Amino acid sequence: MSATIHPSAFVEEGAKIADGVKIGPFCTVGANVTLAAGVELKSHVVVTGQTTIGEDTVIFPFAVIGEIPQDLKFDGEETRLEIGSRNRIREGVTMNTGTTGGGGLTKVGDDCLFMTGAHVGHDAIVGNGVIMANQAALAGHCIIEDKVIIGGLAGIHQFVRIGRGAIIGAVTMVTNDVIPYGLVQAPRGELDGLNYVGLKRAGVARSDITALRAAYQMLRQGDGAFQDRARRLSEETDSDYVREVVDFILGDSDRSYLAPR
């Protein structure tokens, strides 16, 4: 099935439009854009820059995808935005290309939902199955691992990492890294437990949830500094889930960690 392009849409010469793409009224598609099969731009969507969008992703009105970074150091370098498959990008969402200083690439995985007004900043790396609620914002250089949920009006500081399966409450400012499966809430982002609901919904075994609960308590109340507690856990645990948390804590970071309360 060939692409369907509304007569009022403007598609620049050079854009790569696959079969089955639907481009609605008053959309603008730049010359360096690639739209894979099944992509749908509802209406009034702008896709520009060196931007690739994967199969069956749907973008809703007034989203602006692939514009230049909101970074005063940016000087017109050729950088990219890559968006995976089956994403839902709702009204007014913005996603920027990368910067040379940040690696030149902003990347979004598959099966994500970006609700109205969400923002993905330059050089951010977003995993699979991520949900960003209304008006949530990622600053530049963030790393968001798979299955993270970010509540409405939450703000994620630049260079912050959020581990797999974590959940960030609404109206929360996160300025430090968040461990996998962490639960963060309060205006200044306090690590207040684990995402037990998400773990259960994902079908994680009770034994692993119990191990994670014990690991969290050790991180919260054990002797020594936070990193020292994590190193002790790495020597003692036989749970893959706890090991994931430990490896995250002991990995490279540009920010400190939110310590358990």
Side-chain angles (χ1 to χ4, degrees):
M1 180 178 67
S2 60
T4 302
I5 302 175
H6 193 275
S8 66
F10 178 62
V11 179
E12 293 186 25
E13 185 177 351
K16 297 179 175 63
I17 311 298
D19 289 345
V21 168
K22 296 179 181 179
I23 300 177
F26 304 106
C27 292
T28 298
V29 178
N32 297 311
V33 169
T34 299
L35 303 181
V39 167
E40 180 177 1
L41 311 182
K42 291 284 191 180
S43 73
H44 299 85
V45 173
V46 174
V47 185
T48 187
Q50 298 279 348
T51 298
T52 301
I53 300 177
E55 294 183 356
D56 298 320
T57 287
V58 179
I59 306 181
F60 286 73
F62 304 106
V64 179
I65 307 300
E67 262 296 1
I68 65 172
Q70 298 180 101
D71 184 339
L72 293 174
K73 298 186 299 297
F74 183 75
D75 194 29
E77 304 89 359
E78 191 171 286
T79 57
R80 296 177 293 136
L81 169 64
E82 295 179 4
I83 298 173
S85 301
R86 299 175 303 279
N87 292 290
R88 294 296 177 267
I89 300 173
R90 295 303 303 253
E91 297 83 353
V93 168
T94 54
M95 298 183 179
N96 298 151
T97 56
T99 64
T100 300
L105 173 65
T106 304
K107 187 172 184 179
V108 173
D110 302 328
D111 302 302
C112 299
L113 170 60
F114 299 91
M115 298 186 194
T116 301
H119 172 68
V120 177
H122 60 84
D123 306 294
I125 305 297
V126 179
N128 301 319
V130 170
I131 296 174
M132 290 184 64
N134 296 20
Q135 309 298 329
L138 298 182
H141 312 281
C142 292
I143 298 175
I144 311 299
E145 295 187 355
D146 296 348
K147 301 292 186 181
V148 168
I149 298 175
I150 300 175
L153 294 168
I156 314 301
H157 194 283
Q158 61 185 359
F159 294 102
V160 161
R161 297 184 304 150
I162 299 181
R164 182 165 72 110
I167 184 168
I168 310 300
V171 199
T172 297
M173 179 63 191
V174 180
T175 57
N176 301 96
D177 290 353
V178 178
I179 62 173
Y181 315 108
L183 166 64
V184 175
Q185 55 189 351
R188 294 302 301 180
E190 297 174 357
L191 183 59
D192 200 27
L194 296 176
N195 183 14
Y196 293 117
V197 172
L199 289 163
K200 291 174 183 176
R201 287 177 177 172
V204 175
R206 183 183 296 272
S207 59
D208 283 309
I209 294 176
T210 300
L212 280 168
R213 181 181 284 112
Y216 181 84
Q217 291 303 319
M218 179 177 175
L219 289 171
R220 185 168 73 91
Q221 297 178 328
D223 296 331
F226 187 61
Q227 296 265 347
D228 294 335
R229 298 175 210 167
R231 291 188 184 94
R232 286 201 301 276
L233 270 175
S234 71
E235 298 168 358
E236 298 171 2
T237 189
D238 57 3
S239 167
D240 290 340
Y241 286 87
V242 175
R243 174 68 59 186
E244 182 179 355
V245 173
V246 169
D247 289 346
F248 183 91
I249 293 170
L250 298 179
D252 292 334
S253 175
D254 292 302
R255 307 290 298 176
S256 58
Y257 296 90
L258 282 176
R261 291 202 305 163

